[in-house]
Amino acid sequence: EAAVTQSPRSKVAVTGGKVTLSCHQTNNHDYMYWYRQDTGHGLRLIHYSYVADSTEKGDIPDGYKASRPSQENFSLILELASLSQTAVYFCASSPDIYEQYFGPGTRLTVL
Amino acid sequence: AQSVTQPDARVTVSEGASLQLRCKYSYSGTPYLFWYVQYPRQGLQLLLKYYSGDPVVQGVNGFEAEFIKSNSSFHLRKASVHWSDSAVYFCAVSAGNNNAPRFGAGTKLSVKP
């Protein structure tokens, strides 16, 4: 049974619209992360969290907000989606700051 | 912050040949190092990890990597590749202390039959 799930698996959004990507983990892990994947850039860290109700900025946080309402759930929010945010988004969890367990990804297309 | 460079965007090898995928990291302290594999339209899966001790670490499916501190490298190796090894491989580094892991750009491996 998948321990990190993401929803939706794919989404088409309009420029300027609001998008929420959700992540749920059943690993009982403290740490959760959001990365985006673009060809040629690998995975880039957007936000992460090591405790519920607290989030940290990663390397490319501009245009994104994160929310960690519980240990199990971590959301990524695009308040005003832009074309440049078209990418595949991965959520991950880890028991500490080391080995990560990834979800299947969400393919976001902004038109 | 820590960073990772994977200098080879694409590598093609013949089935049965040996493999080395290169990874260099930037971090002044003792790093925690990882290799992950991504199959098409899937998330990343851990291949192996280095925290401390023996610099040569074994992973799944015959993969191994060697931590060379003097060269800031953590290259991935396999003695004999199989067509099913075709995938994208990512190297990652963590500095610990609540610093999230950072990833390289990835190397796409194609194995010719």
Side-chain angles (χ1 to χ4, degrees):
Chain A
E1 184 176 340
V4 180
T5 55
Q6 295 182 233
S7 62
R9 290 295 312 278
S10 67
K11 182 173 180 64
V12 178
V14 295
T15 303
K18 182 177 181 178
V19 176
T20 300
L21 307 183
S22 299
C23 179
H24 178 79
Q25 57 110 347
T26 58
N27 295 323
N28 199 33
H29 289 166
D30 287 331
Y31 293 82
M32 296 187 74
Y33 314 80
W34 278 106
Y35 293 89
R36 65 176 279 174
Q37 183 177 28
D38 303 273
T39 303
H41 290 281
L43 272 70
R44 292 185 288 174
L45 181 68
I46 307 171
H47 286 287
Y48 64 105
S49 168
Y50 49 85
V51 67
D53 293 323
S54 178
T55 63
E56 306 292 329
K57 293 181 179 179
D59 298 325
I60 54 165
D62 293 345
Y64 302 94
K65 288 173 55 179
S67 174
R68 181 95 182 268
S70 64
Q71 186 190 44
E72 298 80 17
N73 296 294
F74 192 36
S75 297
L76 185 69
I77 303 143
L78 291 64
E79 295 279 3
L80 294 170
S82 67
L83 295 175
S84 64
Q85 293 175 313
T86 292
V88 179
Y89 291 84
F90 286 98
C91 176
S93 73
S94 65
D96 45 39
I97 204 67
Y98 312 129
E99 177 182 344
Q100 295 168 300
Y101 297 79
F102 282 82
T106 294
R107 185 172 295 273
L108 175 65
T109 302
V110 182
L111 302 177
Chain B
Q2 66 274 31
S3 65
V4 175
T5 300
Q6 294 181 249
D8 304 308
R10 295 175 180 269
V11 170
T12 300
V13 297
S14 297
E15 193 167 24
S18 63
L19 170 71
Q20 177 172 278
L21 301 181
R22 297 184 289 167
C23 171
K24 296 202 73 171
Y25 67 89
S26 174
Y27 177 59
S28 57
T30 300
Y32 302 89
L33 297 161
F34 310 87
W35 276 98
Y36 289 84
V37 61
Q38 183 183 34
Y39 299 103
R41 296 195 173 264
Q42 294 186 26
L44 281 68
Q45 303 169 38
L46 184 71
L47 271 181
L48 49 79
K49 60 191 177 187
Y50 172 79
Y51 289 171
S52 64
D54 188 339
V56 178
V57 292
Q58 305 296 322
V60 299
N61 296 332
F63 286 94
E64 68 172 31
E66 183 174 7
F67 169 55
I68 302 179
K69 188 172 183 177
S70 61
N71 195 36
S72 299
S73 68
F74 189 57
H75 301 332
L76 182 70
R77 304 188 296 238
K78 187 171 185 178
S80 176
V81 298
H82 186 263
W83 64 267
S84 60
D85 293 324
S86 296
V88 181
Y89 292 80
F90 291 94
C91 183
V93 60
S94 173
N97 296 323
N98 289 340
N99 287 292
R102 266 62 172 190
F103 286 77
T107 298
K108 183 174 184 178
L109 173 66
S110 298
V111 179
K112 298 186 299 183

